[in-house]
Amino acid sequence: MPPISSAPVRAAPSAKAIAKKKAIQKMQATLRWHERDRKQRKQRKTEQYEYKRYRLELVKQQHNKVRNIARNALRDVREDWKLGPLRPNRVSGLQEGMYGVVTERSLSLTALPKHLSQRINEDREKQGLPPQHLVVNDKIYLPYVVGDRVVVIAGREKGKIGAIQAVDKDALMFTVQGVNTQYLDSKLLAGGDPTDKTNRAPHEIQFGINDIRLVIPYRITTASGRYIYQDVVVDNVILERHTTGVDPFTGIDYGNDEFPAEHRFDPETNLPVFKRYIAGTKRAIPWPWEKDEEKLKEKEDAVVAQEKPGFLTRVRRLPNDLRERIAARRNAAARAEEKRLEREAEELSLVDSDIAESQQLSGTRTDRPDNILTYDDDTGRNKSDPTDETLRNFSPTLAYPPFPAGLPTELLQEVREKRREAAQDALDEDTPRVSRAERRKIRENERKKREMETMKTPLQLRWEVMRAKQAAEKKEVDREQLLLALGKHMQGNGIELTPKRSQAARNAEKQLDVE
């Protein structure tokens, strides 16, 4: 027999105690559920409030930037039209130099709530589209950064390309350098000129993330085997965590293998590092700072190569050096030839000017005919301007230019009369003249006729077609045959014809027999 334990025996719980314990557990679970539900409802209420506030701010911005401005402009135009000369000067006083200037109220932007930005990505994933941005630990990561070249795909600046100058992550807005420039109140800018009376300064207005696309140089192989680079627009850019390649901490290149997970953060900011790719491919798009590092490295390599060129390098460069020297000599010879031709042209122009001056001083004209008769009453240049010693021998005539100064005015009236007579002779005298009232009446009748044509019913059109068809099928009756038939009919009925009609009937019968 087993030894009997000396420990006190605990009595089994009664049914009442068990029921009480279950009730307590149920109440505790209910309290936990209500607490969890209360937190969820509070979060939903907060998100709904933020979303409603965001929508109201967008509507308010739309009113301030577009509708209110347009309404006020129309109101001012109506008031100016009613007042006429008494209209006020709206660009004077405090508003002087502020016409068409963007104010601080119109420039303010509304930050996008974090949960709404996450919801936008979820909606895009449901539609089968890649996310526009990433939200990690309540931080927004965008595929476009300062220094990227982008193209505008909407609005009045559509098609323009520029570099991103500033990024607003909270509102998902980008400022593109030199694009969408508007006048801004210089008081709002940090570097504004306080002495500027106009208070206007050009400033770039931001674009939304849906209004721009990334532009990158893409290498294309031509038919001849050469490589050329062309700008292409990337419609979708995918962001992925940087897990392969160069380790940010150690600088070791792992290739396609993944480096340690604890090294997948930026050593300076301790933020996750992302790589961007063209959607649907594994082609990586370098960030602007990576391009700068590559250029700096290439420049350093080029400097090192120039400082220490080896024998093989000099041998490889020899053909290129020879080509460059030959091209330089050819360019120098071409420039020398151009300078020589310019000097010859200048010398020829100087010779021509000397010849013209000598002819002018001698008073001779090479283009003047020898058979021109001169008279003593002709008013010459020597009489109108006797102080000009070099032109005293020049005598203007009506036979060759230059003509006297008053000749066009004297002949103007006569030329007009000749033209009027020629136009009158060209008119046909047999052409009937129609008065203005008759022409107006003819045009009115034509207009009514066109209106009647358009107002006809399908049945009327059908009747017109049938009448035209019957008229086309109707045969014309010969007058002689008709008279002959009438004569025979009259003779058959006992009506005697006159001798003249009888002779005409016999002649018609003979003609028919001949035919």
Side-chain angles (χ1 to χ4, degrees):
M1 292 181 62
I4 299 174
S5 176
S6 60
V9 179
R10 181 179 296 178
S14 62
K16 185 177 180 180
I18 294 174
K20 183 178 179 180
K21 185 177 181 180
K22 289 183 178 180
I24 292 173
Q25 292 177 353
K26 185 177 180 181
M27 182 59 65
Q28 290 176 351
T30 303
L31 292 175
R32 288 193 299 270
W33 183 87
H34 278 286
E35 183 66 20
R36 186 168 59 252
D37 183 66
R38 185 184 65 81
K39 291 181 180 180
Q40 293 177 357
R41 282 189 285 107
K42 184 178 179 180
Q43 184 179 0
R44 286 197 300 269
K45 289 289 184 181
T46 304
E47 293 178 356
Q48 290 176 1
Y49 172 75
E50 292 178 354
Y51 177 71
K52 185 176 180 180
R53 183 180 177 184
Y54 174 72
R55 295 296 302 176
L56 291 175
E57 288 292 335
L58 289 181
V59 173
K60 187 177 180 181
Q61 289 180 11
Q62 182 70 12
H63 279 278
N64 293 334
K65 293 182 179 180
V66 181
R67 297 184 180 179
N68 290 345
I69 295 175
R71 183 171 62 250
N72 295 337
L74 292 175
R75 181 195 61 196
D76 295 343
V77 169
R78 285 194 295 267
E79 184 179 355
D80 293 346
W81 183 81
K82 291 179 181 179
L83 294 177
L86 301 178
R87 60 182 180 272
N89 186 5
R90 302 186 185 278
V91 292
S92 62
L94 298 177
Q95 298 296 328
E96 184 178 2
M98 299 294 292
Y99 182 76
V101 173
V102 179
T103 60
E104 183 179 7
R105 187 177 181 183
S106 301
L107 194 63
S108 60
L109 298 174
T110 305
L112 185 68
K114 298 294 188 300
H115 67 89
L116 186 58
S117 61
Q118 186 66 27
R119 188 187 302 176
I120 292 174
N121 288 335
E122 293 175 358
D123 294 340
R124 288 180 62 87
E125 290 179 358
K126 291 179 182 179
Q127 298 175 5
L129 301 175
Q132 289 182 341
H133 55 280
L134 295 180
V135 181
V136 180
N137 297 331
D138 292 338
K139 288 186 177 295
I140 298 177
Y141 296 89
L142 300 174
Y144 314 136
V145 295
V146 176
D148 282 334
R149 296 176 66 242
V150 294
V151 60
V152 182
I153 62 172
R156 63 185 181 90
E157 303 289 343
K158 182 178 180 180
K160 292 187 178 181
I161 298 176
I164 295 179
Q165 191 174 8
V167 179
D168 187 356
K169 292 186 177 181
D170 295 333
L172 300 181
M173 303 294 287
F174 300 85
T175 302
V176 183
Q177 184 178 5
V179 182
N180 198 19
T181 303
Q182 298 182 13
Y183 284 107
L184 185 66
D185 189 357
S186 59
K187 298 177 182 178
L188 305 178
L189 301 177
D193 187 5
T195 61
D196 189 6
K197 296 182 179 180
T198 59
N199 294 330
R200 300 199 312 173
H203 189 72
E204 293 85 357
I205 304 301
Q206 295 176 331
F207 289 99
I209 192 172
N210 294 324
D211 298 334
I212 59 175
R213 291 292 184 270
L214 186 65
V215 177
I216 61 172
Y218 196 82
R219 192 178 73 175
I220 299 175
T221 306
T222 61
S224 60
R226 296 187 301 106
Y227 295 123
I228 60 174
Y229 287 88
Q230 292 183 354
D231 286 341
V232 296
V233 179
V234 182
D235 193 17
N236 292 323
V237 180
I238 298 177
L239 291 177
E240 294 183 359
R241 291 291 296 270
H242 178 43
T243 57
T244 60
V246 180
D247 190 342
F249 283 83
T250 61
I252 300 175
D253 189 358
Y254 285 82
N256 295 328
D257 299 333
E258 295 184 358
F259 50 80
E262 59 271 12
H263 291 178
R264 297 174 185 176
F265 297 89
D266 191 347
E268 298 179 358
T269 61
N270 200 22
L271 295 176
V273 181
F274 290 90
K275 286 286 186 180
R276 53 183 181 176
Y277 301 89
I278 300 176
T281 66
K282 282 298 181 181
R283 179 182 174 85
I285 304 175
W287 299 99
W289 55 82
E290 294 177 349
K291 297 178 184 178
D292 297 339
E293 292 176 358
E294 291 177 359
K295 290 181 180 179
L296 182 61
K297 187 176 180 180
E298 291 177 358
K299 188 180 294 185
E300 291 177 354
D301 295 342
V303 170
V304 172
Q306 289 179 1
E307 290 177 353
K308 299 179 180 180
F311 176 75
L312 296 177
T313 304
R314 291 196 300 271
V315 171
R316 286 196 299 268
R317 291 180 180 176
L318 184 59
N320 294 332
D321 294 341
L322 292 175
R323 293 193 196 95
E324 291 177 358
R325 292 178 183 177
I326 294 172
R329 290 184 179 180
R330 288 179 179 175
N331 294 334
R335 288 194 295 270
E337 183 67 19
E338 290 178 359
K339 291 182 180 179
R340 186 182 65 80
L341 294 176
E342 290 178 358
R343 287 197 300 270
E344 291 180 356
E346 291 178 358
E347 292 176 358
L348 290 175
S349 62
L350 292 175
V351 171
D352 294 339
S353 61
D354 293 341
I355 293 173
E357 290 179 359
S358 62
Q359 290 179 355
Q360 191 175 10
L361 292 174
S362 61
T364 59
R365 285 181 58 93
T366 57
D367 57 345
R368 180 172 178 175
D370 297 334
N371 57 353
I372 298 300
L373 299 178
T374 58
Y375 299 93
D376 297 335
D377 295 336
D378 292 341
T379 302
R381 182 72 175 271
N382 55 345
K383 295 182 180 181
S384 61
D385 190 8
T387 58
D388 193 352
E389 297 291 341
T390 61
L391 299 176
R392 284 192 176 184
N393 296 328
F394 176 73
S395 301
T397 64
L398 300 179
Y400 61 90
F403 300 111
L407 182 62
T409 306
E410 295 177 2
L411 298 179
L412 181 60
Q413 187 65 23
E414 186 176 355
V415 170
R416 288 179 178 175
E417 292 179 357
K418 292 294 184 181
R419 289 179 178 176
R420 192 180 299 109
E421 292 177 1
Q424 189 68 22
D425 295 340
L427 293 176
D428 189 5
E429 297 180 356
D430 298 335
T431 304
R433 296 182 178 274
V434 182
S435 62
R436 185 177 300 176
E438 292 178 352
R439 289 198 298 270
R440 190 183 301 110
K441 188 175 181 180
I442 293 172
R443 288 196 298 269
E444 186 68 20
N445 294 335
E446 292 178 354
R447 185 183 63 80
K448 290 181 179 180
K449 187 176 180 181
R450 289 194 299 270
E451 291 180 355
M452 292 297 295
E453 290 291 338
T454 57
M455 294 171 61
K456 289 181 180 179
T457 62
L459 188 59
Q460 290 176 340
L461 295 175
R462 182 182 177 186
W463 288 344
E464 290 183 357
V465 172
M466 292 177 62
R467 284 198 295 270
K469 188 175 180 181
Q470 291 175 0
E473 294 177 354
K474 187 177 180 180
K475 297 181 180 179
E476 296 183 358
V477 180
D478 190 5
R479 185 171 178 274
E480 298 294 338
Q481 294 180 1
L482 180 60
L483 293 176
L484 181 60
L486 288 175
K488 290 182 179 181
H489 179 71
M490 293 172 65
Q491 288 181 0
N493 293 333
I495 300 174
E496 295 182 358
L497 299 177
T498 60
K500 187 176 181 180
R501 291 182 178 178
S502 301
Q503 185 64 28
R506 286 192 295 270
N507 294 337
E509 290 179 356
K510 291 179 181 179
Q511 187 175 0
L512 291 174
D513 294 339
V514 171
E515 292 178 355

